[in-house]
Amino acid sequence: MELGLALPTAGPQTSPETIVKVAKEAERLGYAALWTFERLLRPLEKVVLYTGGAPAMVPEFYGSTYEPLETLSHVAAVTERIKLGTAAMVAPFHVPVMLARRLATLDRFSGGRVIAGLGQGWQHHEFATANVSSSRRGPRTEEFITAMRAAWGPDPVEHEGEFYRITPSQVNPKPVQARIPVLLASTAPAAVKRAGRIADGLLPLTSSAEELRGVVAAFHAAARAAGRDPSDLMVVNQAPWPTPVTREPIGTGRPFLGGSPRQVAEDLMAAREIGVTQVYLAGGQGLGLDVGMQAADVDGWLGLLGEVIEAADRLGVRAP
């Protein structure tokens, strides 16, 4: 199983210099991938969050977020091997050909290191801002992936569907990879099943090993029902912000994939046994907020991330 890391792309204290520092050190330590995410805006009124329940304020975490592909393009220029992923970009806010070309261009500049994580969106203010209906966003996202893959294929590219149309055309550049992996971000049952049918992997966000086990089982079952081999697919689980990595062990109330390097490594081993192919740690994704890390904490956090790698290797987390 691989280990990945979320770049610090959110919060008032992040900066290009800090992002580059984290990217370079993650590659040096042996992390396999760097991850970014997309958020158009943070509304200043209460909304129903993706978790459901009564309307609430969108977390301040989303008040300032760097654009994912521009960030990864900059990072590609200062790294050599580490993969570059989005977790996630909201497919309905984009045009398939345009996003296909942007991802292919990044794949060219990075030498074939791109992982395209997509979501279907949840915040109605963002849909209104993008001038896109939020209804039937699941089928729209499914067709988006079909059209985007067509754009990566041989010319002439052509697509005719309910939501998108590509007239027979040349669409270039093509990516370095024969097939840029497309992962779907979700833990909702319908979207997990969709990922099992059409995606190259799943990007769940889970709060316990038990929840993760159920999501992975549903994803693999959907893949088998579609005639696919689950071992060919990726499962990349996020340890969400602000899940901490700490010097000392955490006792009662410890979050899944949080705590001391040893505790994190034990949870990583559990994730491996469940069938996860990568876990990425996101404790440093937002800087300068009321919870989580401050910019001054980054160097210490990077040191602990090195200890996580060492502890994980002692347990065999990254073994073939």
Side-chain angles (χ1 to χ4, degrees), residues 143-266:
E143 187 184 327
F144 186 102
I145 292 170
T146 300
M148 187 168 67
R149 284 173 170 161
W152 290 332
D155 292 332
V157 172
E158 182 177 5
H159 175 80
E160 188 75 41
E162 179 182 358
F163 302 102
Y164 305 105
R165 181 175 184 271
I166 307 172
T167 193
S169 305
Q170 290 180 309
V171 178
N172 289 284
K174 305 300 184 187
V176 171
Q177 300 177 80
R179 182 184 178 100
I180 290 179
V182 177
L183 281 58
L184 275 179
S186 187
T187 53
V192 170
K193 289 180 180 178
R194 181 176 295 110
R197 284 192 293 106
I198 68 165
D200 300 305
L202 183 70
L203 281 164
L205 179 64
T206 58
S207 59
S208 68
E210 292 73 22
E211 182 185 11
L212 178 59
R213 183 175 292 106
V215 170
V216 172
F219 174 59
H220 286 171
R224 284 189 290 268
R228 309 175 75 195
D229 185 348
S231 67
D232 294 334
L233 305 176
M234 301 167 66
V235 178
V236 179
N237 189 64
Q238 176 182 329
W241 178 87
T243 305
V245 180
T246 58
R247 174 64 56 195
E248 300 299 326
I250 297 177
T252 303
R254 182 179 71 87
F256 181 51
L257 294 165
S260 69
R262 172 72 186 195
Q263 288 176 315
V264 174
E266 289 171 351

Side-chain angles (χ1 to χ4, degrees), residues 4-5 24 50 58 107 111-112 115 118 138 190 195 197 208 220 252 275 301 313:
L5 192 66
K24 288 182 172 181
Y50 70 93
V58 173
D107 206 52
I115 305 171
L118 302 179
R197 284 192 293 106
S208 68
H220 286 171
T252 303
W301 174 63
D313 285 349

